[in-house]
Amino acid sequence: MCGIVGYVGEKQAAPVLLDGLEKLEYRGYDSAGLAVLDGKNNINIARAKGKLCELFKKTDGGKALEGVCGIGHTRWATHGEPSENNAHPHFNDDKTIAAVHNGIIENYAELKGKLSRQGYEFYSETDTEVATKLVDYYYKKHGDPVRAIANFVLRVRGSYALAVLFKDYPDQIFAVRKDSPMIIGVAGGEAFIASDVPAILKYTKSVYYVANTEIAHVEKGKVTFYNLDKEVVEKDLTEITWNAQSAEKDGYEHFMLKEMHEQPRVVKDTVNGLIKDGKIDFSDFGLSDKDIAKVKHITVVACGSAYHAGVAAQYVLEELARIPVRVELSSEFRYRNPVADKNCLVIVISQSGETADSLAALREAKKLKMKTLAIVNVLGSSIAREADGVLYTKAGPEIAVATTKAYSSQLIAGYALALKFATVRNTITQERYKELLSELSTLPEKIECILKQKESIQHFASEAANKKNVFFIGRGVDYAVCIEGSLKLKEISYVHSEAYAAGELKHGPISLIEDGTLVIGVLMQENLIEKTLSNLVETKSRGAYIAAVTCGDDKKVENVADVKITVPYTDGLFAASLAVIPLQLFAYYLSVLKGNDVDKPRNLAKSVTVE
Ligand code: G6P
């Protein structure tokens, strides 16, 4: 939901800002803009509707805006339609202050009313223009940027990452955040502001994680942090371990294709990060065996694909550890007044660690005094910092809006949790434990093997290119894969699809099956194959075209399926890790065939920092 960047240093700012925005375009891509201080005490702004390439053209790759200090923004519209007028940065009335903002100012209407009564005029529909003019109001009152921003913080409700240029302070940026991400990197005589690490990875790996309501005064190679009383706050730099290459396409046509191909490595790294001396070890993640023994129930909260990884984890955890698990959408959990239960462990799964609903769900769980564990991909993100314990998935930066490798690494974290809980709770034999641990280590190779057969999925996608409706059905873990496969298809190929537990189809949705409707059955659970197969036959009798994702050479499947997609065998509990790969590829190739923007699908943003 919007990406912000800032730069101050020796280089021309605009090209650096455009480069950073390109890495953040996954956060929003309906308009973009830059503001640069030109060294003669002018703030020059350029804004353009549409993708970043429009701004690039308009500014001749940034050459049109001279100066070594500036801020930039890529927008995902909240207040006001995507247009040049609503694009950030926004100015105060006399163009002496410019600001970019990510988040939502909830009381903007009330503030706009008050500022209007003070004589302020508004040219856009955005809450950001209100924020800029509120900073202006306090700056004119106090004559000090830090005090102005501190007053802004005290006055607004909502979430924000705000970066501000003041004409009176050339070569300096002032910034603040609350519940929207912001990092500040330094390198030699340069400093960088960004909503996310990939934007600055090329320039530095030394970053400060800005805490809520901390005010940053950013100068060449130097950052000073203040609290709201303008007292200096000492902070430590964190070294990022991701490499710059991981934020580049590396010869692949799309980030999504590259990220799908990174899955064998990511799964391997995540598995290796969880095993110590041949055993799953959670002691580094703030969850000791003693803590685990106290847990009587688990609630997983997450959004989107992370929620789907939670659904898969639920099946595996309940099966292996015999512990009740509930999986909830963060947006529901946060408002449904959940019952406080000190024996419940709340697990928040999130790639970005910044999803607004998941962060709010985590806070709700903490308020209710429940123990919390975060499964997060981004180091130092808000959810990682606020949870009692944190387990980092090892997916590296994920740029494509539709997640693939982060989802795969979340699955692994779920399996590891299940194995760990099963050992502590004594619900697994040593033999089975070892068997599953060894199976876990074979997954990367098996995923690699599926990726090598990607042409067959591409062919299947070309056959399915005209389908208007697709159903995914499966049971148990296979059902968990179906909901993810269906989401991938909707997200990037814009094809209507539904995922149903196979047994549920005849309770309504079967009425939608007609001649040629594509039904994809996931048949990876040996004990459930026949059951799902009968449900597929029911749809076939009504004209459906059947594709089956399976791991055996079961003749019964061949007799029913028009298309059979075979993946290597794995234990049914880990089936999601393999069955999801052809479904990701299917969505990808369909999206490419339709000429869609695979990495930046319409209306979506990768990191949803508004509710
Ligand atoms: C967005 C993304 C999804 C992601 C979801 C949750 O909708 O497009 O890919 O699964 O947010 O994001 P999180 O960062 O919390 O995993």
Side-chain angles (χ1 to χ4, degrees):
M1 302 273 125
C2 305
I4 66 168
V5 288
Y7 172 79
V8 50
E10 307 299 336
K11 298 191 189 80
Q12 283 298 302
V16 178
L17 296 171
L18 284 170
D19 184 51
L21 288 178
E22 193 199 325
K23 304 286 180 326
L24 295 182
E25 226 191 340
Y26 69 83
R27 301 179 66 86
Y29 31 86
D30 59 42
S31 51
L34 301 174
V36 177
L37 274 156
D38 71 359
K40 295 174 215 125
N41 278 6
N42 297 312
I43 302 176
N44 295 316
I45 280 186
R47 303 182 297 176
K49 185 183 164 186
K51 299 217 164 117
L52 191 63
C53 54
E54 300 303 326
L55 182 67
F56 196 89
K57 273 187 244 156
K58 192 168 183 177
T59 59
D60 190 14
K63 289 193 200 98
L65 290 177
E66 271 190 39
V68 295
C69 176
I71 52 179
H73 188 267
T74 177
R75 181 168 185 248
W76 188 91
T78 55
H79 296 77
E81 56 163 16
S83 67
E84 189 174 324
N85 205 38
N86 286 331
H88 305 199
H90 286 286
F91 263 138
N92 62 343
D93 289 348
D94 51 14
K95 302 198 168 154
T96 53
I97 294 176
V100 288
H101 163 233
N102 162 30
I104 287 190
I105 308 292
E106 286 165 6
N107 54 339
Y108 88 104
E110 169 205 328
L111 294 169
K112 191 171 184 174
K114 289 198 170 148
L115 288 166
S116 299
R117 287 192 287 282
Q118 299 286 334
Y120 282 88
E121 285 176 12
F122 293 87
Y123 57 83
S124 79
E125 298 157 81
T126 64
D127 54 346
T128 305
E129 190 191 352
V130 177
T132 312
K133 287 175 178 175
L134 188 65
V135 170
D136 174 76
Y137 171 79
Y138 287 120
Y139 180 64
K140 293 210 160 94
K141 197 162 166 188
H142 300 289
D144 171 24
V146 174
R147 286 215 184 284
I149 292 175
N151 277 283
F152 162 89
V153 170
L154 295 171
R155 200 66 190 78
V156 300
R157 285 199 309 274
S159 62
Y160 45 83
L162 189 80
V164 194
L165 295 181
F166 292 83
K167 182 181 156 166
D168 299 342
Y169 292 79
D171 299 352
Q172 297 170 48
I173 308 172
F174 294 84
V176 70
R177 76 158 202 125
K178 183 175 160 276
D179 295 344
S180 286
M182 180 189 279
I183 53 160
I184 300 180
V186 286
E190 299 178 301
F192 306 82
I193 298 176
S195 301
D196 199 359
V197 172
I200 61 173
L201 211 47
K202 188 164 147 186
Y203 306 101
T204 181
K205 290 188 181 181
S206 304
V207 304
Y208 291 106
Y209 286 96
V210 185
N212 270 348
T213 74
E214 259 170 16
I215 300 166
H217 176 196
V218 186
E219 298 168 90
K220 290 183 179 177
K222 180 182 162 201
V223 191
T224 314
F225 292 94
Y226 297 96
N227 63 17
L228 295 180
D229 294 323
K230 215 189 161 183
E231 292 156 352
V232 172
V233 178
E234 297 299 337
K235 286 177 78 74
D236 291 329
L237 277 167
T238 302
E239 282 302 307
I240 303 290
T241 52
W242 293 351
N243 65 38
Q245 194 75 1
S246 50
E248 305 292 338
K249 271 196 211 147
D250 234 357
Y252 284 91
E253 201 180 334
H254 298 103
F255 275 111
M256 185 178 172
L257 189 63
K258 180 193 174 214
E259 287 161 5
M260 284 191 287
H261 279 87
E262 285 175 339
Q263 291 180 110
R265 182 178 51 74
V266 158
V267 164
K268 193 172 178 184
D269 289 353
T270 306
V271 171
N272 290 344
L274 293 165
I275 295 178
K276 232 192 233 166
D277 302 327
K279 287 196 184 121
I280 305 275
D281 188 342
F282 270 71
S283 52
D284 289 350
F285 313 133
L287 200 64
S288 66
D289 287 8
K290 227 163 128 194
D291 294 328
I292 293 176
K294 282 189 212 146
V295 178
K296 300 278 179 283
H297 325 266
I298 294 175
T299 294
V300 179
V301 289
C303 304
S305 296
Y307 170 81
H308 297 160
V311 175
Q314 177 188 36
Y315 285 106
V316 186
L317 266 157
E318 291 202 337
E319 174 66 32
L320 290 179
R322 312 308 305 154
I323 187 165
V325 182
R326 175 175 181 150
V327 192
E328 285 197 57
L329 295 164
S330 310
S331 52
E332 288 299 309
F333 181 87
R334 67 180 290 190
Y335 289 123
R336 77 165 173 81
N337 196 10
V339 178
D341 179 351
K342 65 177 177 15
N343 298 318
C344 179
L345 172 70
V346 175
I347 302 177
V348 185
I349 309 181
S350 173
Q351 186 283 127
S352 62
E354 298 293 348
T355 302
D357 283 324
S358 296
L359 181 58
L362 168 71
R363 288 179 180 163
E364 180 68 19
K366 290 190 76 173
K367 202 171 88 195
L368 296 171
K369 309 258 181 291
M370 297 200 257
K371 187 157 176 71
T372 56
L373 173 74
I375 298 178
V376 166
N377 193 43
V378 179
L379 183 79
S381 53
S382 301
I383 292 174
R385 278 183 291 165
E386 292 189 25
D388 299 320
V390 52
L391 183 168
Y392 284 108
T393 49
K394 299 279 167 64
E398 193 177 59
I399 311 286
V401 166
T403 179
T404 52
K405 61 173 181 168
Y407 167 82
S408 281
S409 65
Q410 289 161 352
L411 288 177
I412 300 296
Y415 306 154
L417 264 173
L419 283 164
K420 182 70 207 174
F421 269 74
T423 7
V424 175
R425 291 166 63 84
N426 219 2
T427 54
I428 192 168
T429 62
Q430 265 304 311
E431 207 182 359
R432 178 82 170 128
Y433 180 80
K434 281 194 185 140
E435 182 192 7
L436 287 174
L437 216 53
S438 124
E439 185 56 31
L440 212 51
S441 66
T442 68
L443 291 177
E445 204 182 302
K446 291 175 178 172
I447 295 173
E448 189 82 66
C449 163
I450 306 169
L451 288 165
K452 283 197 179 126
Q453 296 160 25
K454 58 180 187 281
E455 278 76 19
S456 62
I457 311 287
Q458 188 173 16
H459 178 72
F460 169 48
S462 65
E463 280 183 343
N466 296 323
K467 301 287 178 202
K468 296 271 179 288
N469 297 297
V470 181
F471 286 82
F472 291 80
I473 63 168
R475 290 168 184 257
V477 170
D478 293 350
Y479 165 66
V481 189
C482 285
I483 51 179
E484 176 59 8
S486 171
L487 180 67
K488 286 281 95 61
L489 199 64
K490 287 190 260 260
E491 278 180 307
I492 59 171
S493 70
Y494 316 148
V495 171
H496 169 248
S497 79
E498 304 270 357
Y500 268 91
E504 193 60 17
L505 206 69
K506 52 177 122 23
H507 296 289
I510 201 162
S511 64
L512 298 169
I513 305 292
E514 44 191 42
D515 241 8
T517 305
L518 174 60
V519 179
I520 300 179
V522 178
L523 304 147
M524 299 283 288
Q525 313 293 311
E526 275 171 311
N527 58 332
L528 296 170
I529 286 188
E530 287 191 356
K531 302 280 172 206
T532 305
L533 215 48
S534 329
N535 302 125
L536 284 173
V537 172
E538 287 158 8
T539 64
K540 197 175 168 98
S541 320
R542 287 157 179 86
Y545 182 75
I546 310 288
V549 178
T550 187
C551 57
D553 52 6
D554 199 328
K555 283 277 169 289
K556 285 186 283 278
V557 177
E558 262 163 46
N559 293 341
V560 174
D562 297 294
V563 177
K564 187 172 160 229
I565 299 161
T566 309
V567 299
Y569 174 82
T570 186
D571 193 287
L573 292 174
F574 300 158
S577 291
L578 302 190
V580 77
I581 310 294
L583 303 188
Q584 294 170 344
L585 288 165
F586 176 59
Y588 171 79
Y589 284 119
L590 211 54
S591 175
V592 172
L593 272 170
K594 288 174 180 287
N596 297 346
D597 189 340
V598 178
D599 288 336
K600 298 188 276 285
R602 69 184 180 206
N603 303 339
L604 300 181
K606 186 162 187 68
S607 181
V608 182
T609 50
V610 296
E611 58 174 295

